[in-house]
Structure formats: structure tokens, C-alpha cells
Amino acid sequence: EIVLTQSPGTLSLSPGERATLSCRASQSVSTSYLTWYQQKPGQAPRLLIYGASSRATGIPDRFSGSGSGTDFTLTISRLEPEDFAVYYCQQYGSSPPITFGQGTRLEIK
Amino acid sequence: EVQLVESGGGLVQPGGSLRLSCAASGFTFSSYWMHWVRQAPGKGLVWVSHIYIDGSITAYADSVKGRFTISRDNAKNTLYLQMNSLRAEDTAVYYCARGSGGDCSDWGQGTLVTVSS
């Protein structure tokens, strides 16, 4: 099973600042199958980034994804108030097919 | 507009059963993989199961294998999760999600399952 470890667990930043979230895999992950989601309190997750670096429909260009192999990054260039949420990375592989990271909470400083 | 609406959650005693449903609309249901993902209170996302477009391929997380069964009715645009031998650790919000490649591109609002005596 591929384990995804996200860091930091909590990130405290102010609006306008840049956020960098990390997702490290225990084995190499195909870039085609590394995904990022955003979840706000009381809401379902929302697809942000698929294929490691492609933005989903309607996602602002301040969100970007990068990385390959075992190290992946989600970057939010300038934080807006609505960006404060929990972010999860996810990989799709063989067995089990899907695993999620434990999440990074992005909170207002 | 893609819509996924889960139902069937509730309070059940340990050892009991529940069947969750997910009604889909706004897309061609029979063309997509479908997933169940759960989230225990205050915890992260955990994939539970998925099913191929025609139901011929299914997979389960080890934690539910042998107890849960995923199925779909493409004529009714509905996804199901039959949950048997429920345990306290199955308590969670259960989301259905539309699959797109290896992603979960669209999610329902979730249904809460509470396993407690």
C-alpha cells in the first residue's frame, strides 16, 4: 500500500501570503494519478488538481500543483480568505486503488 | 449539473446492517466509475470501495472487505453500498463520488452512519 504523508499538519498564514503544502509518497506515484482536494468545514471535498498539475474546472490559477515520483507540492500563490480549509492529496494505484494523505489544515494566522 | 445525493444513513447497533444509496443526475451514470469514501468525525478521508461502469469490477478497502458490498443500477442511475456486520469504527460520513480516471471529480453531500448501542 502506498502511504501518503502530508506536511505540515497545520499551516498558519495570513491572506495574501503564499502557501506551500507537501505530499510525500512511500513509493513512486505516477503523476497521472496524484490529485489534490480542498475541504471546508461541513462540506464535501472539492477536486482542485488532477494529474499532479492540472487544475480542475473552475479552480483559480492561484492554485498550482507540481512534483513527481514521491514528492508533490500544492502551492497557493496569494491566499484569499476562502482558501482557508483542509487539503488532501490522493493517489490512485494498484492495491488498494486509492489512498489519501492525512490532510493539511490551512488556518488564518 | 452533476448531482449526487446520498441517503440511507442513520443510527444502527453494532452487528447491524444498512444500505446506502446514491442517486445520480446530470451526467451519463453508466459511463463512469463510482466510489464510496468515508470520513469519521474529525478525521481524514478514507476510500471504501469502487465499481466499474457495468459493475463487473469492484474493489474494497481491507477494513470493509467481506462486510460491505458495492453495486449499481444503471437503469435507475443509482449507486449502493450494502453494509453488514457494522462496527463502531464504521461510524462516519459516507460520500459517493464520481470517478474520473483515478480521481473523484464530483462528490455528494454525504450521509452520516452512526454505529452505537
Side-chain angles (χ1 to χ4, degrees), chain A residues 56-74:
Chain A
T57 303
I59 301 303
D61 60 6
R62 64 180 181 273
F63 290 90
S64 63
S66 63
S68 64
T70 59
D71 289 299
F72 297 88
T73 300
L74 174 69

Side-chain angles (χ1 to χ4, degrees), chain B residues 7-21 64 66-69 81-88 90 94 112-116:
Chain B
S7 60
L11 175 63
V12 61
Q13 292 189 338
S17 298
L18 275 179
R19 188 175 84 154
L20 306 183
S21 300
V64 307
R67 300 188 298 124
F68 290 11
T69 303
L81 186 67
Q82 177 67 43
M83 304 187 296
N84 298 330
S85 303
L86 283 161
R87 306 167 180 167
D90 296 317
Y94 285 73
L112 176 62
V113 172
T114 304
V115 184
S116 175

